[in-house]
Structures are given as C-alpha cells and as structure tokens.
Amino acid sequence: MADLTPEGPRDGEPAGEQGRPEPRDTGQSDRPLTRREIRRREEAQRSADESGNAGEAPPPEGPVLDEDRREYPELYETADDSVGTPVTVRPASRKGYQTITVNRARAMDAEQKAKRQARRRRRRRRNIVMVTAFGVFVLLVAGLSLGVRALLPDPGGDDYPGPGGAEVTFTVNEGEGALAIGSRLAEEDIVASSDAFIEAVNQSRSENSIQPGDYPLRKQMKASDAAAILLREGQGQVHYVAVNRGMRLNEVIDAVSTSTGIPVQELREASENPGEYGLPEDAPTVEGYLAPGEYRFPVDSEVDDIFSMMIEPTMEKLDGLGLSDEDEQFRAVTIASILEAEALTKDYPTVAGIIENRLHPDNPETDGKLQVDSTVIYGLNTRRLQFSEEEKTDASNEYNTYEHRGLPPGPIGAPSTEALEAAANPQDNDYYYWVTTNIETGETKFAETYEQHQVYQQEYRDYCAENQDICGGG
C-alpha cells in the first residue's frame, strides 16, 4: 500500500533531487508538478540545449492545458469545485514522489447519478401506481355500464307475432310520451311489452309524432303494427288541434293558430262569415258549430278548409236528429251550448226541459227570461262562476239573460253530442230552477218555486264561502 505521508529530502540528497528536476519559480503556486509538466519541461530543456541556449531557463509554464485536465482531472480544482485539490503521496514500489488528487467532480457525478437513479425509481413507482389506478377505474366503469344496461329496456323485449285479436279503442292523452303510452299499451295487453313498443317507435321512419286522440288497435298485436298506427305511418305530416266540449270560439282560434301558424286575425275574420259555411245568416259567428273533437289538418290546409272540417260533424248530427231547418238548428245549438256550460251530462235532459219552461212567455216564475249565469259570463268575455250585482243588471251586455228575454244572440261554446241530443229532446217537467250546490261533486238541486230555489242558493253560497278558491271572486 502506498505511504500517503509526504516526506522531505532524504539524508544525503540535495533538496529537489528525488528523481525529477527541481521546479523553477514561475510565479505560480508551489504545488507539485505532474508527470506531463515534468516531461514538457525536459523537452523544453533539450530543445534549448540543441539550439545553443542551454544556459537559458525554460519558458514560464503557461496555464494548465485541457489535456492535462482530462488525463489528471484530480489535480485541478476550479472555483465551482468541478475538480479536486492535488495532494502528494509516495508510492511503495518506487522512489520519489507522485502527485495524485481526490476527484471531487467524479464524486459529484456519482452523487448526481445516484439522484437520477432515485428519481427514475420514484418515477417508475409513480407510473405503476397510476397504471394500477387507471386499471381499477376501467374495471369500475365496465361494471357500472353492465349494471346500467341491465336496468335499461331490452331492445329484444317480448313481442306478440300479430296480427292481434279483438278490436279496442286506445286513447292517447295530452302530454303523454312514448314511455307512458308503451306502459299503458302493455297494461291493456295490446302489446306484449313496453320495451318492444319503444324499440318499434325508435325504428319507425315516420316523421309524425304520436298525438293525443283515439286510435283503433287490437289486443295482442305486434308492437311495430301498434307503433305504425299511432305514428300514422304512410300519412303526411299534419297539424293537430283538440277542441274540448264547451270551448269558446276565441279559444279554438288560439289553438288552431298555435298549431298551424295561421294568424289569429285571419282566423277571426273567417269565423265572422258563417254564411260561407252554409250556416244561418242570423248566426253572428261560427260559434257553437265547431264540433268538439280531435282534428289533424294537412299542413297546407286553408282557413276555410279548417273551419269546414270542424263544422261538418255538427251539421251531420243535427241532420241525424231531424233538424234540417236552419232556424231550428240555430236554436238547438244555442240551447245545447247553455246546457254544456250549466249542467252535468246526466242532467242535460232535465235542464233542457227547464229552459223550455222559462222561455215560455207567460210562465209565472221568470216572465220569459232564462236568467242563467253562463250567458252573462260569456258576454263579459271572462271565465268565472260569480259576478257582481252591477254586472247582473247591466243591460248593455246582450248575453245578460237576467235583463233580456228569450235566448241570447247566439251559442256560447262548443256543445257536445249529448247536449245536442238533449236540446232536440228536452225532458218534460215542472221545474223552473236549478243550482249546483257542490262544484266538486256536481250535486245539482231542482226547484219548482223561487222560495225553494233560494234555499238551494244559500247552500251554494255557503259552499263557496268555504271554497273560495273553487268558486272564485265576484
């Protein structure tokens, strides 16, 4: 092992003669010379001897060469500690001193390498954790997807082969979507399953949507056949309009305008010419002649076509009741519209008989006046159950049957078939008064005298005092 303890000159030897020339003072630090520096100095000395300048000193040593740094990086240290500080040691096998150095740069390189390896290990562990977490996430999503799929309708749900059995009428209600319709179809055993019906609707190429109305279907029919009927496959697009019983003309016009896009003003002007549709000249408008029901108008329908289609069912019904005279028809439609507004369906014939009793000019109770609230309210162009005493005595209201004898100027809404039948065939009775004493149940009481009628009226007032939200103000 080399002895690392620096020694001075051996006994008997002059300083600087230990196997290498004594370095000259060049103004540099007193560090030991490397072997390369020694060789360079020897070569410089020989060159000087050969050129006859043997007595001249070798040129001053310049800065340390890069090749010295590369071969002996241990001997040099810069300000940034990139190389080490030289030390002198004596090897065990030879005389003289040899200069070595501790390589701080290599030590730093090793430290940096260790840090890089540590970073790689941490990065590797982090990547493993991320891959594992992603794999767990994928498994969770796959499991959730399978669970959701199990809850969704099966496209291949049960279905009947068709064509079906007994005919039934299926009603699609306002606001119902395919899911609700499919559930009811399955409940009524028209289709085998709601899933099959939904799939049939989704597969249909019809541009139409399922609209409210009555549809002829069959028990246990194929889902695609039911969907084709409800979607009206093979038929062009249409505008759908529903006219409810008792609906007023202005409400019908609004519904038609909303569905077709025809301006309200254009529809109103057309409605004020009833003669264009074969109606009595005395009729102020087509009010009362527009039959309740569901209509599907072709998208290119004109206003006259729309009104003609809605009037036709009413005229056919009147003809079927044996009312061919225009005046008779007009009277029946007007009475029927009052029945629709004043009574329940079961009471139509009774109330129709009371109206005939009141219209008799010499009746002892009303002196030929109808005295019905529905006509007054119609003339006020409002919808409520009560009105003020001032409004009751307002003769300027042509529809005020408390002030004017006989029927009002015209119908006050769209009468149903049942109302038309009752108007054409009133019940023969001795009543002059009726009042609904309970709006919720529809309980109606009839009286032959005004005194008895007042008792029933008080029952109605008491009811309204407790149910103002139902009766409304007035």
Side-chain angles (χ1 to χ4, degrees):
M1 178 180 291
D3 184 359
L4 300 178
T5 305
E7 296 182 352
R10 296 182 180 179
D11 295 340
E13 291 183 354
E17 295 180 1
Q18 298 182 18
R20 60 184 178 185
E22 184 74 11
R24 296 178 61 184
D25 183 7
T26 61
Q28 299 181 0
S29 64
D30 294 334
R31 66 173 175 78
L33 299 178
T34 66
R35 286 177 292 176
R36 183 178 296 276
E37 290 174 331
I38 294 172
R39 287 198 304 271
R40 287 172 59 84
R41 290 196 175 198
E42 290 176 350
E43 290 173 0
Q45 184 64 40
R46 285 195 298 272
S47 298
D49 292 342
E50 291 173 0
S51 62
N53 299 325
E56 296 182 4
E61 191 69 15
V64 180
L65 300 178
D66 290 339
E67 61 182 337
D68 290 334
R69 293 182 183 275
R70 288 193 298 271
E71 187 169 351
Y72 301 98
E74 301 89 345
L75 301 180
Y76 304 98
E77 180 178 10
T78 61
D80 60 358
D81 294 333
S82 61
V83 293
T85 303
V87 297
T88 58
V89 298
R90 184 180 71 183
S93 60
R94 52 183 297 186
K95 296 181 178 180
Y97 292 91
Q98 177 178 353
T99 302
I100 66 172
T101 182
V102 178
N103 191 349
R104 294 182 181 177
R106 291 182 179 177
M108 292 178 66
D109 288 343
E111 182 180 357
Q112 293 175 356
K113 183 176 181 181
K115 290 181 178 180
R116 286 195 297 271
Q117 291 175 346
R119 286 195 298 270
R120 290 194 187 99
R121 287 194 295 272
R122 289 195 298 270
R123 188 181 299 113
R124 190 178 301 112
R125 286 195 298 269
R126 185 168 63 249
N127 291 341
I128 292 174
V129 171
M130 292 178 64
V131 170
T132 302
F134 180 75
V136 172
F137 173 75
V138 171
L139 291 176
L140 289 175
V141 171
L144 181 62
S145 175
L146 292 175
V148 172
R149 183 176 300 177
L151 298 176
L152 294 177
D154 180 13
D158 295 337
D159 195 5
Y160 289 127
E167 293 186 359
V168 294
T169 299
F170 181 79
T171 301
V172 175
N173 301 315
E174 189 75 32
E176 278 189 318
L179 286 174
I181 294 171
S183 297
R184 291 204 298 112
L185 287 171
E187 291 174 0
E188 297 181 25
D189 198 29
I190 295 175
V191 298
S193 68
S194 174
D195 296 344
F197 176 74
I198 297 300
E199 180 66 15
V201 171
N202 292 335
Q203 295 296 326
S204 175
R205 296 184 178 182
S206 175
E207 297 180 355
N208 300 323
S209 59
I210 300 178
Q211 296 177 347
D214 295 333
Y215 295 86
L217 301 178
R218 292 180 177 273
K219 290 284 188 178
Q220 299 185 353
M221 65 188 303
K222 192 174 180 61
S224 58
D225 293 340
I229 294 174
L230 294 175
L231 290 169
R232 304 180 312 284
E233 288 186 0
Q235 302 178 26
Q237 288 185 314
V238 296
H239 293 305
Y240 172 81
V241 176
V243 178
N244 300 322
R245 58 196 328 182
M247 208 169 184
R248 296 176 182 174
L249 176 60
N250 63 324
E251 295 169 338
V252 176
I253 287 176
D254 289 340
V256 172
S257 178
T258 300
S259 177
T260 64
I262 299 174
V264 169
Q265 185 60 32
E266 183 178 349
L267 291 166
R268 183 175 292 115
E269 290 176 357
S271 71
E272 294 173 353
N273 293 290
E276 295 291 330
Y277 310 103
L279 302 182
E281 294 183 358
D282 292 340
T285 64
V286 296
E287 179 78 275
Y289 288 91
L290 303 180
E294 295 164 344
Y295 300 92
R296 295 172 178 84
F297 307 112
V299 293
D300 57 351
S301 296
E302 300 291 339
V303 176
D304 291 347
D305 297 332
I306 292 174
F307 281 136
S308 295
M309 187 181 298
M310 301 172 81
I311 291 172
E312 183 178 359
T314 300
M315 302 307 294
E316 290 180 352
K317 182 63 179 177
L318 292 172
D319 289 339
L321 292 171
L323 301 175
S324 57
D325 182 77
E326 286 187 357
D327 292 337
E328 291 180 350
Q329 291 176 345
F330 184 65
R331 186 177 188 276
V333 170
T334 301
I335 293 175
S337 69
I338 296 174
L339 293 175
E340 198 70 58
E342 286 284 337
L344 297 178
T345 303
K346 64 182 181 63
D347 297 326
Y348 285 168
T350 304
V351 176
I354 295 175
I355 290 176
E356 293 294 344
N357 291 340
R358 287 188 177 187
L359 290 175
H360 200 281
D362 57 356
N363 81 79
E365 295 293 329
T366 66
D367 192 26
K369 296 177 182 177
L370 280 182
Q371 298 180 349
V372 292
D373 295 352
S374 58
T375 60
V376 178
I377 294 171
Y378 179 87
L380 294 173
N381 194 27
T382 185
R383 278 196 178 276
R384 60 177 188 260
L385 297 178
Q386 293 179 315
F387 47 85
S388 68
E389 187 65 27
E390 181 181 359
E391 290 171 329
K392 184 177 180 180
T393 58
D394 181 13
S396 65
N397 180 354
E398 293 182 315
Y399 287 81
N400 187 347
T401 53
Y402 285 91
E403 293 294 323
H404 303 286
R405 289 182 174 84
L407 291 172
I412 61 173
S416 62
T417 298
E418 293 83 356
L420 288 172
E421 291 175 350
N425 300 284
Q427 181 191 85
D428 187 13
N429 58 60
D430 296 326
Y431 297 127
Y432 284 94
Y433 305 96
W434 78 94
V435 60
T436 301
T437 56
N438 190 311
I439 303 300
E440 294 172 286
T441 64
E443 182 181 6
T444 302
K445 294 185 177 182
F446 306 96
E448 296 181 8
T449 65
Y450 184 65
E451 288 75 19
Q452 184 62 48
H453 179 58
Q454 286 179 311
V455 175
Y456 297 149
Q457 281 184 322
Q458 187 59 47
E459 290 185 21
Y460 170 69
R461 294 189 188 99
D462 293 341
Y463 170 84
C464 285
E466 297 176 0
N467 301 272
Q468 293 184 9
D469 56 328
I470 298 176
C471 295

